[in-house]
Amino acid sequence: MTIFGQTIISAVATGAVYALIAIGFSLIYRTTKLVNFAHGSIALLAPYVAYSLLRAGLPLPVAALGGIIAAAAFAFLMERVVLTPLRARHISVPILATVATAIVIEGMINLVWGSQPLYLESFASTDPWQVAGLSITPYQVVIIGITGAVVLPLLWLVAATKVGRAMRGCAQDPEVVTLFGVSPSRMYLLSFVLGGILAGLAGTLIAPVTGLTPTGGLQLSTIGFTAAVLGGLGSLPGALAGGFLIAVMISLTQVYLSAGYGLGVAYLIMALVLLVRVRGLLGDDIEAVRQV
């Protein structure tokens, strides 16, 4: 029971990071009907920039903020320079463009920072507290707390404000929303910038735990997209739930079967969702994943 409980505790903190990635996927999709497969690579870019800023002498919080801003800025440029000219093309074209962007980011990281693993300092102590026989670190509490402080206001913004309704309307019928004074172009850009912030935050939080390697963005994209599909692509509460669920299932697999099976479980879950329930747990768009 102690091993099981410890696994769940550790998975909750990891799941908070996966939830941030998944919410970014769903936020962009619910506004643009586009899946951004460069999302995990943008998440990885933030801690690399933070690492350089830290080495340059900046305090860790400032360096981390700089990394997150860099991720948001890259997402901004990606939407304006890469995707906006492709908006009128078939959906497969901009999706392939996001894949190409992910490859470019990985190559850029290799060129600037090299292929050797790097490590970013954590924002709190990793010395465990003992609570009811379970080990909980202050850094795990920080991860969960920061995620809650960011996600809850975002859920309110999307669900209960004019901006959130405008973002949803742009995905459903961009021509109609222009009659109400809404600019689809601005909403698309806003979704990518918010997604970039979420990705940058997720990457910065997970980097002290996993380390930094140029190929880490692919794993973040795979797990984050799987969590979004599990929760229901386009549903932010679903993405939140999917992030925690996928982390628990991967952690249990790694502990009770083999550490090498973790990513395979993510692929298996995605396949099962596509076969059994395309809309996921909380999604309402049954064609969402089929179109991808």
Side-chain angles (χ1 to χ4, degrees), residues 171-195:
Q172 294 177 338
D173 196 327
E175 294 183 1
V176 170
V177 296
T178 57
L179 300 177
F180 296 91
V182 175
S183 169
S185 177
R186 291 180 182 178
M187 293 298 105
Y188 297 157
L189 181 60
L190 176 61
S191 70
F192 266 85
V193 171
L194 289 176

Side-chain angles (χ1 to χ4, degrees), residues 206-219:
I206 198 67
V209 179
T210 62
L212 291 170
T213 58
T215 58
L218 175 61
Q219 181 170 333

Side-chain angles (χ1 to χ4, degrees), residues 25 45 86 101 128 135 142 145 172 179 184 265 275:
F25 268 111
L45 183 63
L86 303 176
T101 302
S135 297
V142 167
Q172 294 177 338
L179 300 177
V265 167
L275 288 172

Side-chain angles (χ1 to χ4, degrees), residues 22-168:
I23 289 172
F25 268 111
S26 285
L27 180 65
I28 291 172
Y29 178 82
R30 73 178 282 140
T31 306
T32 67
K33 289 294 183 183
L34 175 68
V35 177
N36 177 19
F37 286 114
H39 198 59
S41 298
I42 292 173
L44 185 64
L45 183 63
Y48 269 105
V49 172
Y51 173 85
S52 292
L53 294 176
L54 191 62
R55 292 287 298 273
L58 293 178
L60 180 57
V62 177
L65 180 61
I68 294 169
I69 292 173
F74 193 95
F76 177 98
L77 292 174
M78 177 184 174
E79 200 283 330
R80 291 288 95 168
V81 176
V82 178
L83 298 177
T84 295
L86 303 176
R87 187 69 60 190
R89 305 288 295 275
H90 186 271
I91 188 66
S92 61
V93 176
I95 287 179
L96 288 174
T98 69
V99 175
T101 302
I103 296 172
V104 169
I105 295 174
E106 182 177 328
M108 181 176 66
I109 289 174
N110 264 307
L111 181 65
V112 176
W113 289 279
S115 60
Q116 296 300 313
L118 301 176
Y119 297 92
L120 185 68
E121 295 179 20
S122 62
F123 303 96
S125 173
T126 55
D127 296 331
W129 296 325
Q130 296 299 318
V131 180
L134 300 175
S135 297
I136 304 173
T137 69
Y139 188 55
Q140 288 174 330
V141 175
V142 167
I143 290 176
I144 296 169
I146 291 177
T147 299
V150 171
V151 168
L152 293 179
L154 179 62
L155 292 178
W156 171 82
L157 173 71
V158 173
T161 67
K162 291 182 179 180
V163 172
R165 290 191 290 272
M167 293 172 74
R168 178 68 171 179

